[in-house]
Amino acid sequence: MLVIALAATMAATGGVAFGQADSGDERPPAVTVQAAMPPWRDLERAQQDLEAAIASRDNLQRALERTIDELHLELGRLDKLDDVDTGKQLLMEEAEKLVVQEYMSGGDVEDLVFILGVSQATDALWRIALLSEVSEVVDEALEARENVPGERERTEARARRLDRSIPLLNTRLREAEQSIAEAEWVVYIAGINDMAERERVQNGFIEPTEQHWHNLRFCESTNNYRAESANGLFYGAYQFEPRTWRTVGGVGNPAHAPPEEQDARARLLYARRGDQPWPRDFCGRWLPRN
């Protein structure tokens, strides 16, 4: 008869166990109430934190893109400096060949034609003219570079600095993505709390204090969020039965849910049904009387 009466009482309470760890009239220890509402209880703040996390991620993404672009520019400058050096070397080699040809021909066009033939002499004369024009361009580039001493060293240093910063920015970008995921979870929990608050006001229930909730948890599970009853029917700090957990949007084993989620869904259950799921003869006595 005792078993039947206990089962009937649990059915009437909606499947939430009570008094699983009740220690009689012993009062639970006091809880220190935070001065500021935590973000998972403040939907507006949680949404602002999410927006800030997204903005930080976007700023890092733009910084990474700018760094990559600047690195490409510095590498391009180095390529141009290398091109000047390469061009200078090629011109020197070409000049040496033409000097030899002019020497062999006695330095006179007629002798050059006689030795090389008309077609080769014409090509040599064209190359001499081209060499003169190109050398002027190279000289101008060299003169411009020489006007800025150490330009290559500074360019290489900037390129190295930018190259080293890219992995760091990628690491910070991954951290920012993780921060967004965490902020999204906080918004999710804050949404449950916001729903609970609106429904509590609508139903006219008195709002429990943090001390009330702490006392209830201590009575139900000695404040153990991972608690599971010996009979395997009730779970978590509030000793939810799985079917009751599902009525307030919970999924899976309540004891496996984070503490903030268990708190939020307990508040939602209270907002809808008051202290009825926790009878006043047992742990419900720690909640305010409506």
Side-chain angles (χ1 to χ4, degrees):
M1 294 296 294
L2 180 60
V3 174
I4 295 175
L6 181 59
T9 302
M10 288 187 174
T13 62
V16 177
F18 44 83
Q20 296 295 318
D22 194 7
S23 55
D25 294 331
E26 181 181 352
R27 179 172 295 277
V31 62
T32 302
V33 180
Q34 294 179 345
M37 185 181 298
W40 54 84
R41 291 282 300 277
D42 187 339
L43 181 59
E44 181 178 358
R45 175 185 167 187
Q47 291 172 332
Q48 291 173 350
D49 289 346
L50 174 59
E51 292 172 359
I54 293 173
S56 177
R57 187 273 313 275
D58 292 345
N59 288 336
L60 284 169
Q61 182 65 51
R62 286 191 289 269
L64 177 61
E65 293 171 356
R66 286 196 302 269
T67 301
I68 292 174
D69 290 342
E70 291 175 7
L71 177 59
H72 288 163
L73 288 175
E74 297 302 330
L75 293 176
R77 292 190 182 98
L78 286 175
D79 287 341
K80 290 180 180 178
L81 292 174
D82 290 339
D83 289 343
V84 169
D85 292 338
T86 302
K88 180 181 179 182
Q89 182 63 31
L90 292 174
L91 287 173
M92 291 177 63
E93 293 175 358
E94 187 72 8
E96 290 176 356
K97 294 178 182 178
L98 293 175
V99 166
V100 171
Q101 292 174 349
E102 288 187 83
Y103 174 79
M104 291 175 61
S105 64
D108 190 89
V109 173
E110 288 78 5
D111 294 337
L112 187 64
V113 172
F114 175 78
I115 296 174
L116 299 178
V118 175
S119 61
Q120 292 186 37
T122 302
D123 179 62
L125 291 171
W126 176 82
R127 288 159 68 194
I128 291 173
L130 180 62
L131 176 62
S132 175
E133 294 178 4
V134 174
S135 64
E136 292 178 4
V137 175
V138 173
D139 289 341
E140 291 177 1
L142 289 172
E143 182 180 356
R145 192 182 70 181
E146 290 169 357
N147 288 336
V148 187
E151 178 62 21
R152 173 181 291 280
E153 290 75 12
R154 282 190 292 272
T155 301
E156 290 176 343
R158 286 194 298 269
R160 287 193 299 269
R161 185 172 61 252
L162 291 167
D163 189 56
R164 286 194 301 267
S165 66
I166 289 175
L168 298 177
L169 285 170
N170 276 317
T171 297
R172 292 183 60 190
L173 192 58
R174 288 192 295 271
E175 293 172 349
E177 293 288 357
Q178 180 63 32
S179 296
I180 290 175
E182 293 171 357
E184 289 174 339
W185 180 84
V186 173
V187 168
Y188 174 67
I189 298 300
I192 300 172
N193 279 303
D194 184 70
M195 183 189 305
E197 177 63 17
R198 288 186 283 107
E199 293 193 24
R200 182 193 63 78
V201 172
Q202 180 180 349
N203 293 327
F205 294 131
I206 299 172
E207 180 179 9
T209 64
E210 291 302 315
Q211 185 68 57
H212 285 132
W213 288 117
H214 178 79
N215 292 348
L216 176 66
R217 291 192 302 270
F218 187 86
C219 176
E220 289 285 352
S221 64
T222 63
N223 213 33
N224 179 8
Y225 282 88
R226 300 190 66 82
E228 298 188 15
S229 64
N231 58 11
L233 296 177
F234 307 101
Y235 305 88
Y238 301 91
Q239 290 292 277
F240 274 100
E241 187 183 27
R243 64 178 180 179
T244 306
W245 176 252
R246 290 192 294 270
T247 65
V248 288
V251 177
N253 187 336
H256 296 170
E260 293 80 11
E261 182 177 0
Q262 293 187 43
D263 291 345
R265 298 202 186 282
R267 292 186 72 227
L268 183 56
L269 180 63
Y270 175 86
R272 293 175 176 177
R273 299 167 57 185
D275 59 11
Q276 185 268 334
W278 301 278
R280 302 203 65 80
D281 291 343
F282 296 93
C283 294
R285 69 183 183 274
W286 297 110
L287 291 172
R289 187 179 296 276
N290 288 299

